[in-house]
Amino acid sequence: MARIKQIKARQIPDYRGNSMIEADVALDDGTFARAAVPSCSSTEIYEALKLSDGGSDYLENVVSKAVENVNKIIAPALVGMDPTEQAAIDNFMVQQLDGTENEWGWCKQKLGVDAILVVSLAVCKAGAASRRIPLYQHIANLAGNSRLVLPVPAFKVINGSSLAGNKLAMQEFMILPVGASSFREAMKIGVEVCDHLKAIIKKKYGQAATNVRDPGGFIKENEEILELLKQAIEIENADYTDKVFIGMDAAASELYGQHRTYDMNVKEENNDGSQKIAGDALGNVYKSFVCDYAIVSIEGPFDQDDLENYEKMTDEIGEHVQIVGGDQLGTNLARIEKAINEKTCNALLLKVDQIGSVTESIKAVKMSKVAGWGVMASCGSLGQQRSIANAFLPKMFCFGDCTKLRCGETEDAFIADLSVGLAMGQIKTGAPRRSERQAKYNRLLQIEKELGADAVYAGADFRRPVNPY
C-alpha cells in the first residue's frame, strides 16, 4: 500500500481575493491529491476554531499560521502513514497533534480547523486515488455505506438578512426540485425556474432590478418573496408545481434580541421596535407559510439557544417539514446528540469546515441518519450564500459580491462526492451561476453519468433516502 511521502500547504485567494488554505498530498507511488478549504471565520459558538492571523492583509483574513501548522507540525507527523486509514489519520491530527477540547468536544484551537481539515480532505482524495476507485465510493467504504444516492439540490435563489442590502429579515429562500426523476433533470428544472424568476422580476421592477450590483431595493416582505417563487415555479408550458418545492433559512439568531423576542424589522433604519414578536408568534408565521406555500424545509427558525420553540415547532410540523439545525448544531457531535435526545430539530446541515475532518463528518451523518433525521450537505460555512436572484436585485438581495459574507467558497467539489458517498439526499451550494458553485453541480452530473443505470436520485425521499448504517 502506498504511503504519504509529502504534504505541502500554501495560501491562495478565494473568489473575492481573500486568503484561504490549499494543500497537496503526495504518495510514494506517485499518486497526488489536492484540496482547499473555504476562507471562513468562526462565528458560531459551537463550531471548531478557524485560525486567522488578523492584521490588514486580505481584509484581516490571512491564514499563514494555519499554513505553517500544516507544513511544520502536521506534515512531518503524517509522513509514512497509509492514506486509506482515514480515521486513524484524522483522530491523530485532532486528538494528539492538536488535542484541544472544550465542553462541546474537540475544538481545534491549537492548529485551527482549516489546517486539519485541508489535510483530511486531501488525504481522503489520495486514499481514493491509491485504491483506484472514485472518491464517492471511497467515502462510502469508509462509512460502511452500501448505497449511493444523488442529492436533491437546494438552489438558493433569494437572499436577505445580513447577506444583502435589502430590508428582508430572513436569510435565504430556496427551490428544491424534489419531483425530478434524475439529478440531470433537477439541474434543468432549477435553471429554468431561475431564468423564469429573472423574467418575472424584470417585468415587475424593471431592467435596473436585474443589473448586478445596481443600487435600489423593492422587496422587504417574506410573503412577497414566496409569491415570486410560486410564480417562477409555474412556468408556462412547463409547470413545475408538482416537482419544485420551497425551502428557507430564517437565520433567526440574527433577529433575536431583548426579552426573547424576534425583530422582523431588524434592518429598518430608525426601527421603533413595533415588529418585535415572541417565539410563539414567529412559529405561527412559519406555520402560515407552510399552509400557503409548498415549503418542505425550514432552517434556523429560532435563535440557536431557543430550544423550547425549536422543540415545539418540530413536534407540531416536523412530520411534514424538515426543521434543519444550522447554528443550533454547528455540525458539532455533542450538539447533534443533544438535539436528538431533546427532539429540537429533525435535520442536520452538514458543513465539514465547522466540524473539521472527514471522519467526524461521517460520524455526524451516521448519528443523524440513525435518528431518522434528514441531512443536507452544505458548502463552506455561510460561504455558499450566492443566489440567482441576487443577480437580479443586488442591493435588495446582494448578488455580484456580498461584502457581508464571512466565508469565501472554493472550486473544490469534495462535498459533491461526500453527499453521494454518505447518501445524504440533499445539497445546498448556491444557484447554478458561478464557477465555485457550478463546480459541485458539474461533479454531481459526472457522478450520475459514471453510475449509469445504477444512479439513484433522492427525489421525494430526500429527507430519508436510505439508512445504510
Side-chain angles (χ1 to χ4, degrees):
M1 182 63 65
R3 301 283 171 173
I4 295 174
K5 180 180 180 180
Q6 184 182 54
I7 299 175
K8 185 69 175 177
R10 69 189 66 82
Q11 178 175 286
I12 61 172
D14 67 12
Y15 69 83
R16 294 175 302 168
N18 294 339
S19 67
M20 61 183 180
I21 188 169
E22 181 179 73
D24 299 334
V25 170
L27 307 184
D28 56 13
D29 66 351
T31 301
F32 168 86
R34 173 173 292 163
V37 170
S39 56
C40 303
S41 58
S42 300
T43 65
E44 310 305 339
I45 62 175
Y46 302 118
E47 66 183 62
L49 176 72
K50 176 187 179 291
L51 198 60
S52 182
D53 295 12
S56 59
D57 291 347
Y58 286 94
L59 301 179
E60 302 182 2
N61 193 22
V62 178
V63 293
S64 61
K65 290 180 181 177
V67 170
E68 183 177 350
N69 286 342
V70 172
N71 292 334
K72 293 188 176 181
I73 299 176
I74 297 176
L78 298 190
V79 169
M81 296 186 73
D82 180 352
T84 66
E85 296 295 330
Q86 187 75 41
I89 290 174
D90 286 344
N91 291 338
F92 178 64
M93 287 192 291
V94 171
Q95 300 174 20
Q96 296 187 46
L97 294 182
D98 185 280
T100 56
E101 291 183 88
N102 60 21
E103 61 178 314
W104 298 110
W106 303 104
C107 54
K108 291 86 174 174
Q109 290 184 342
K110 177 183 177 182
L111 301 178
V113 67
D114 43 348
I116 294 170
L117 179 59
V118 76
V119 174
S120 180
L121 299 182
V123 164
C124 190
K125 291 181 179 182
S130 70
R131 286 187 165 170
R132 307 296 190 266
I133 58 176
L135 179 57
Y136 56 84
Q137 185 61 65
H138 179 55
I139 292 171
N141 293 346
L142 291 173
N145 177 16
S146 59
R147 293 283 303 280
L148 302 172
V149 178
L150 287 147
V152 170
F155 297 113
K156 289 182 302 299
V157 292
I158 293 178
N159 279 349
S161 186
S162 62
L163 304 181
N166 58 10
K167 303 298 184 182
L168 188 63
M170 295 186 179
Q171 184 166 279
E172 293 176 352
F173 292 83
M174 297 161 271
I175 56 170
L176 290 79
V178 170
S181 61
S182 65
F183 186 80
R184 180 171 294 278
E185 185 189 10
M187 287 298 301
K188 172 182 176 292
I189 291 173
V191 170
E192 289 180 0
V193 172
C194 288
D195 287 344
H196 193 213
L197 176 62
K198 177 179 179 179
I200 291 171
I201 292 173
K202 179 179 177 181
K203 182 177 181 180
K204 187 169 185 177
Y205 302 113
Q207 179 65 45
T210 67
N211 293 336
V212 175
R213 302 175 72 176
D214 187 78
F218 304 94
I219 301 175
K220 66 183 238 182
E221 299 296 336
N222 298 301
E223 291 84 351
E224 190 170 359
I225 298 295
L226 292 168
E227 284 294 334
L228 282 174
L229 294 180
K230 183 177 179 180
Q231 293 175 45
I233 291 167
E234 297 169 352
I235 299 175
E236 186 177 357
N237 299 324
D239 189 340
Y240 291 132
T241 303
D242 295 331
K243 292 190 174 183
V244 179
F245 295 84
I246 298 173
M248 58 185 294
D249 176 6
S253 291
E254 295 191 20
L255 314 179
Y256 197 63
Q258 293 180 336
H259 311 298
R260 300 186 66 187
T261 58
Y262 295 86
D263 191 351
M264 306 307 292
N265 205 23
V266 68
K267 297 179 71 175
E268 188 71 50
E269 295 180 9
N270 302 316
N271 185 356
D272 62 4
S274 62
Q275 298 299 312
K276 291 181 180 180
I277 60 176
D280 281 348
L282 181 57
N284 290 332
V285 170
Y286 297 129
K287 285 186 281 187
S288 71
F289 288 169
V290 171
C291 289
D292 296 337
Y293 303 96
I295 293 178
V296 295
S297 179
I298 302 177
E299 179 188 337
F302 303 102
D303 179 74
Q304 59 197 19
D305 293 316
D306 189 0
L307 302 184
E308 179 182 347
N309 280 305
Y310 260 108
E311 182 181 0
K312 181 178 180 181
M313 186 170 174
T314 302
D315 178 63
E316 291 178 344
I317 65 173
E319 182 179 351
H320 306 291
V321 180
Q322 70 173 6
I323 311 302
V324 185
D327 296 350
Q328 180 203 159
L329 303 178
T331 321
N332 178 286
L333 297 175
R335 292 291 295 183
I336 295 169
E337 183 177 18
K338 176 180 172 66
I340 290 171
N341 292 335
E342 298 179 357
K343 297 180 172 60
T344 51
C345 60
N346 58 21
L348 166 69
L349 187 74
L350 180 90
K351 298 178 180 179
V352 293
D353 67 312
Q354 285 185 326
I355 195 168
S357 73
V358 173
T359 298
E360 291 167 303
S361 297
I362 291 173
K363 288 180 181 179
V365 173
K366 283 187 172 184
M367 287 175 62
S368 301
K369 283 186 170 290
V370 169
W373 281 16
V375 181
M376 180 181 285
S378 180
C379 277
S381 202
L382 292 194
Q384 73 283 2
Q385 316 294 356
R386 178 71 64 175
S387 68
I388 185 61
N390 293 152
F392 314 145
L393 303 166
K395 189 64 176 176
M396 180 169 56
F397 298 126
C398 173
F399 184 65
D401 190 349
C402 296
T403 57
K404 293 185 180 181
L405 297 187
R406 72 180 180 92
C407 183
E409 184 50 49
T410 80
E411 291 188 344
D412 192 320
F414 185 90
I415 69 161
D417 287 80
L418 188 71
S419 68
V420 174
L422 299 183
M424 293 189 201
Q426 310 166 60
I427 188 169
K428 181 172 76 165
T429 181
R433 282 298 187 273
R434 294 181 62 96
S435 62
E436 71 277 359
R437 320 298 159 180
Q438 194 61 38
K440 284 74 171 175
Y441 296 131
N442 287 344
R443 175 58 185 152
L444 288 166
L445 289 170
Q446 292 169 356
I447 294 173
E448 184 176 53
K449 187 173 182 180
E450 287 177 14
L451 292 175
D454 293 328
V456 175
Y457 177 63
D461 297 324
F462 70 100
R463 290 178 64 178
R464 300 178 184 88
V466 65
N467 183 9
Y469 308 112

